[in-house]
Amino acid sequence: MTASRSDMPVLTTETVPGHEIAEALGLVRGSSVRAKHIGADIVAGLRNLVGGEVREYASLLAGAREQALDRMVAEARALGADAVVAVRMETSMIQQGASEILCYGTAVRLA
């Protein structure tokens, strides 16, 4: 299930401009693990020879970031949050060719 972020502020700041935080509900997180596809890997290898952006990997990671954000927002909604503040993202390599994107922040209820 994908949660829409359009009506829930997701901010890297510790506050929501123009609003007061009434209650911190706790840590929320979402993650996505993606592995590269052999076909994309071949194309990326060829692109590496001539230089430039490796669009196949950029697209893969962009999708993983969106999924991690959506999962974090879904967790915040389940807590009854109005916003998520202090959001951060991290990435790590799980194994050769597979990476995890982790998104986390503090779910808050606004006054």
Side-chain angles (χ1 to χ4, degrees):
M1 178 177 137
T2 300
S4 168
R5 294 188 310 269
S6 63
D7 59 340
M8 178 179 286
V10 176
L11 304 152
T12 58
T13 58
E14 295 180 8
T15 61
V16 179
H19 296 278
E20 185 176 323
I21 294 175
E23 180 181 7
L25 302 173
L27 176 70
V28 288
R29 61 197 161 277
S31 69
S32 178
V33 176
R34 299 281 176 107
K36 52 188 176 176
H37 181 276
I38 189 69
D41 204 26
I42 291 169
V43 173
L46 294 172
R47 192 176 316 278
N48 197 29
L49 292 174
V50 297
E53 180 182 14
V54 184
R55 290 188 297 265
E56 295 76 18
Y57 294 157
S59 176
L60 181 77
L61 289 174
R65 282 190 299 272
E66 291 302 310
Q67 187 174 49
L69 276 166
D70 287 344
R71 289 175 175 174
M72 180 191 68
V73 168
E75 191 172 307
R77 283 188 199 290
L79 292 175
D82 299 315
V84 183
V85 296
V87 173
R88 303 292 183 264
M89 285 189 155
E90 294 183 14
T91 186
S92 61
M93 189 168 78
I94 302 296
Q95 67 177 34
Q96 185 66 31
S99 294
E100 175 190 36
I101 301 288
L102 172 65
C103 183
Y104 60 95
T106 302
V108 297
R109 203 169 278 136
L110 301 175

